[in-house]
């Protein structure tokens, strides 16, 4: 069961998660107010979990997925075309979010927690969430996980953290006046504005022959994630958050290559 051990289930215990991000100051000293709210990510997970139980597992995954959402089955693949070919299992998995991290500007966040599948199956999951520009709601962008021989310990409350706001030094921002006018793409849509640089460096990705490695980030660069999947399906995931003047790693998880002998 290749995918059934990758993203799985939710029945979240409500918890308190208050913004803890620091405001940043630009070159002129103006304050940047944090807009990230980890409670919004937790609420999205709760709604996602309930939908999986009420509407069916894959139906819920499809409904809560962004158009460009990705899964690992075991290689990286667009989620929606894959999900719409799947039949809902008779019993949907359940999961409990335990930690949430969100960028200062609230454009992206990451959740982590435990899942329970059929029988005594247990594991961890991690989900990247993206705030939608039109409605302001959160849809998942990247979902994965792996089985565990020992379940994750339960928690009494959900931990939520907000990135510190990156300083907006004018010298770092793209000089839009020096750029040629943006051309509209097919369909009349203008390309998105250039993103500012990351407030601090993250480690370079390790070069592994045959590996598919991809980085993602929030619009303000205060949250960065990296996923790498090897040719055999083994995966490596890192998440960094801008805190106390550095990009601090807040999550690192690996997943073993699927074992065909076990059906996954």
């Amino acid at each position: 069961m290749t995918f059934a051990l990758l993203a799985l289930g939710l029945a979240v215990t409500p918890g308190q998660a208050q913004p803890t991000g620091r405001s940043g100051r630009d070159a002129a000293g103006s304050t940047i107010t944090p807009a990230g709210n980890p409670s919004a990510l937790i609420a999205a997970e709760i709604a996602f979990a309930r939908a999986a139980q009420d509407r069916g597992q894959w139906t819920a995954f499809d409904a809560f997925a962004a158009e460009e959402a990705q899964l690992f089955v075991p290689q990286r693949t667009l989620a929606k075309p894959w999900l719409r070919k799947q039949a809902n299992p008779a019993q949907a998995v359940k999961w409990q979010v335990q930690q949430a991290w969100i960028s200062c500007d609230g454009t992206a966040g990451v959740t982590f927690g435990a899942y329970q599948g059929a029988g005594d199956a247990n594991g961890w999951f991690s989900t990247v969430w993206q705030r939608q520009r039109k409605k302001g709601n959160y849809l998942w962008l990247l979902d994965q996980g792996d089985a565990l021989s020992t379940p994750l310990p339960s928690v009494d409350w959900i931990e939520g953290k907000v990135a510190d706001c990156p300083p907006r030094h004018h010298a770092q921002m793209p000089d839009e006046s020096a750029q040629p006018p943006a051309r509209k793409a097919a369909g009349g849509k203008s390309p998105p504005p250039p993103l500012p640089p990351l407030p601090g460096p993250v480690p370079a990705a390790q070069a592994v022959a045959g590996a598919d490695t991809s980085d993602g980030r929030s619009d303000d660069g205060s949250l960065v994630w990296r996923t790498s999947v090897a040719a055999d399906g083994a995966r490596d995931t890192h998440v960094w958050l801008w805190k106390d003047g550095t990009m601090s790693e807040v999550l690192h998880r690996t997943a073993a290559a699927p074992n065909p002998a076990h059906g996954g």
Side-chain angles (χ1 to χ4, degrees):
M1 189 169 65
T2 300
F3 179 71
L5 299 180
L6 298 186
L8 312 173
L10 287 190
V12 180
T13 302
Q16 298 294 324
Q18 299 300 325
T20 58
R22 299 179 183 178
S23 61
R25 293 182 180 274
D26 65 14
S30 61
T31 300
I32 302 169
T33 303
N37 180 7
S39 296
L41 300 182
I42 295 167
E45 284 281 16
I46 293 173
F48 185 14
R50 290 174 177 167
Q53 301 301 312
D54 295 343
R55 300 166 58 185
Q57 182 171 303
W58 302 133
T59 300
F61 268 80
D62 184 29
F64 281 76
E67 287 300 321
E68 63 271 34
Q70 297 177 347
L71 293 168
F72 299 92
V73 290
Q75 298 300 319
R76 192 188 308 272
T77 188
L78 280 174
K80 281 186 173 290
W82 187 90
L83 289 166
R84 291 170 182 175
K85 296 177 182 178
Q86 310 307 310
N88 286 321
Q91 180 180 349
V93 292
K94 298 180 179 180
W95 62 94
Q96 302 83 39
V97 61
Q98 297 183 350
Q99 293 175 285
W101 304 273
I102 196 166
S103 62
C104 166
D105 64 359
T107 57
V110 177
T111 51
F112 172 82
Y115 78 77
Q116 302 82 42
D120 59 354
N122 287 276
W124 63 268
F125 76 91
S126 178
T127 308
V128 175
W129 293 88
Q130 180 188 62
R131 189 176 67 197
Q132 304 304 293
R133 296 185 183 278
K134 289 185 177 181
K135 295 183 179 180
N137 60 314
Y138 285 92
L139 297 177
W140 69 264
L141 190 63
L142 189 71
D143 198 279
Q144 62 170 323
D146 197 24
L148 292 171
S149 57
T150 301
L152 291 175
S154 59
V155 298
D156 294 328
W157 61 83
I158 302 169
E159 181 183 21
K161 290 186 177 180
V162 184
D164 293 343
C165 292
R168 293 302 193 211
H169 297 299
H170 297 302
Q172 292 180 335
M173 298 299 290
D175 183 2
E176 295 183 5
S177 64
Q179 303 297 321
R183 294 183 178 180
K184 290 188 177 182
K189 293 184 179 180
S190 298
L195 295 176
L198 298 182
V202 297
Q206 294 184 352
V208 178
D212 169 17
T213 300
S214 178
D215 285 10
R217 54 170 284 176
S218 60
D219 287 356
D220 67 355
S222 64
L223 178 74
V224 177
W225 59 91
R226 174 179 297 147
T227 54
S228 182
V229 55
D232 63 1
R235 284 172 287 113
D236 192 48
T237 300
H238 299 264
V239 178
W240 295 274
L241 195 72
W242 179 246
K243 275 289 185 185
D244 300 322
T246 187
M247 295 299 291
S248 300
E249 186 175 73
V250 294
L251 182 67
H252 178 211
R253 282 279 164 172
T254 60
N259 187 342
H262 294 165

